[in-house]
Amino acid sequence: MYYRLVFSKSTKSKSLLKILLLIAGLFCDIAAIIGILMAAFGMPKYLCLLGSLAFSVLFRIIALRLIYNVESKLQDNHLIISKVYPDKTKIVFKEKLGDFKVFPFDIETSNDFAVNNETIICTDSKNAQIQEQNVTNNCEKEAYKICDNLTFTSNAMEIKTINLLADNYEKYMVIGKNLKVLCNLDRYIYSVSLKGEEI
């Protein structure tokens, strides 16, 4: 059985930066062409402009890594969450059904979390909630500690949390053995994850 959900993970700032990097790469290409032409006309010192090709390649590689799609799929009794770049696919999370937990996560209704690309940090003294059906789990009233499962721990290295959320999709916290992933799932993948078996 195979089922997949793909959504875009992008921001205006990253899109703009990607365009600027591609333009910079184009200018580096032009500089390299000028260097070759000038060398052909008897000025070999301009061959040093060929070094701009290295920057051209670097800018393009960075641009490729800036914007990616996120793929969540059920395959061979596993939930697999991947980052899909134009040139490669990187598996972020892969666990067998039943070996991880999934919780609905609503970050918009709470000011208790500041989310960056790596971790979720509680930033004030209010209670934060992560709900699973009728279960509400409160964080301790203490600032700047990492939310570990359903409570706080001061050890930031204990479980890494990766934020792959995009807008306009249902948001979930997927908790595996060594990693937590904030991501978007549909109801089908969520129900399969809860039952621990493909349906």
Side-chain angles (χ1 to χ4, degrees), residues 65-79:
R65 298 290 191 272
L66 280 176
I67 296 177
Y68 56 87
N69 290 333
V70 178
E71 178 188 69
S72 302
K73 65 182 178 181
L74 296 169
Q75 185 176 17
D76 300 327
N77 210 37
H78 285 77
L79 173 65

Side-chain angles (χ1 to χ4, degrees), residues 185-198:
L185 303 174
D186 62 9
R187 292 184 183 275
Y188 180 76
I189 293 181
Y190 177 54
S191 63
V192 169
S193 301
L194 284 183
K195 293 175 76 70
E197 59 185 12
E198 293 185 356

